[in-house]
Amino acid sequence: MIHKVHHVGIAVRSLETALGFYRDGLGLPVTRRAEVPDQGVRAALLASGESEIELLEPTAPSSGVARFLAKRGEGLHHLCLETEDVDGELVRLDGHGVPLIDKVPRPGLAGRIAFLHPGACGGVLVELATPDGHDPSLPAPLRLRRLVVAAEHPAELGGRLHSLFGLPLQGINTGPRVQVDAGRVALLIVPPEQAGGSRGMLALSLQTDDLAAVIARLERGGRGFLRGAREITVEPASSHGVPLHISQPG
Ligand code: CO
């Protein structure tokens, strides 16, 4: 079974430039960094509460991440769910006829990993990972709290994430939105008409205990953001294609 979001993967053109924002601009500590020749990427994981943010730069033009960048530009690429037994999960999913990219796990930055076919989860590319060893849990100034996804049929995708992975479905009374909880990260699924017609993974929300410090860091780095009440929205041009909402709980 799945307990939490291990990480959210972001496709970027340059890992070094993206670290300039996520590590230096936001202050997220790098937990791992490596080249993964098998996937044609160089990648880094950055701590963000109980989950992490993964930055992926393609090293081969034929890699999935290179094709994603050519088609859609920088932005949210995949969602990785953590399991204690990725081998067992794959056998179970395969047995249920779920389309898989990897029928056997392979080594990745997050441990032993495997990708489901995007068709398995309403167009969202889902990775499963069983971490190898224990990374120190690094304190981070921001915690990943929410991933917004647009899907043609939110209730159907929510039901699928619930039935495939046992993730609890939360009822939302206002309209067609659905929320699925994965550990401390909420997956908010909205219809495309509430997302400017977009489909797929749309935006991240993070929480901080010191919004003023985050704002000061972003201003020092000359990053663009919009201010709200106890909340800011970083412009996607600064955050490598990812609308980023950062709030401080009241
Ligand atoms: Co990943």
Side-chain angles (χ1 to χ4, degrees), residues 200-226:
M201 304 200 298
L202 289 182
L204 295 180
S205 299
L206 302 129
Q207 275 184 357
T208 179
D209 293 324
D210 191 349
L211 188 59
V214 174
I215 288 174
R217 289 187 79 110
L218 291 173
E219 281 178 336
R220 271 201 306 277
R223 313 288 179 173
F225 60 91
L226 304 166

Side-chain angles (χ1 to χ4, degrees), residues 18-84:
L19 284 171
F21 174 74
Y22 285 93
R23 178 193 59 197
D24 308 332
L26 291 181
L28 302 179
V30 174
T31 54
R32 282 187 182 203
R33 188 175 172 165
E35 195 156 331
V36 188
D38 183 42
Q39 288 170 46
V41 295
R42 70 172 59 90
L45 281 166
L46 298 95
S48 180
E50 279 190 2
S51 299
E52 298 185 65
I53 287 175
E54 183 180 54
L55 303 173
L56 303 149
E57 173 197 329
T59 53
S62 58
S63 67
V65 173
R67 293 199 304 273
F68 178 93
L69 283 172
K71 200 170 153 195
R72 308 190 42 176
E74 292 187 312
L76 291 166
H77 178 262
H78 67 267
L79 165 68
C80 180
L81 302 171
E82 183 173 325
T83 167
E84 287 155 14

Side-chain angles (χ1 to χ4, degrees), residues 64-171:
V65 173
R67 293 199 304 273
F68 178 93
L69 283 172
K71 200 170 153 195
R72 308 190 42 176
E74 292 187 312
L76 291 166
H77 178 262
H78 67 267
L79 165 68
C80 180
L81 302 171
E82 183 173 325
T83 167
E84 287 155 14
D85 178 17
V86 64
D87 299 72
E89 281 291 321
L90 289 178
V91 170
R92 189 179 64 80
L93 293 170
D94 197 29
H96 283 87
V98 175
L100 306 173
I101 290 176
D102 301 304
K103 290 205 173 186
V104 177
R106 47 192 166 125
L109 194 58
R112 282 168 65 68
I113 65 105
F115 281 93
L116 277 58
H117 189 278
C121 294
V124 176
L125 180 58
V126 172
E127 177 185 14
L128 300 178
T130 298
D132 49 3
H134 298 279
D135 285 332
S137 62
L138 297 173
L142 295 159
R143 303 178 290 275
L144 186 61
R145 276 292 183 264
R146 190 166 73 173
L147 167 66
V148 185
V149 174
E152 211 62 60
H153 305 290
E156 201 175 293
L157 177 55
R160 186 126 174 102
L161 292 168
H162 172 67
S163 65
L164 286 183
F165 304 120
L167 301 175
L169 253 176
Q170 304 296 337

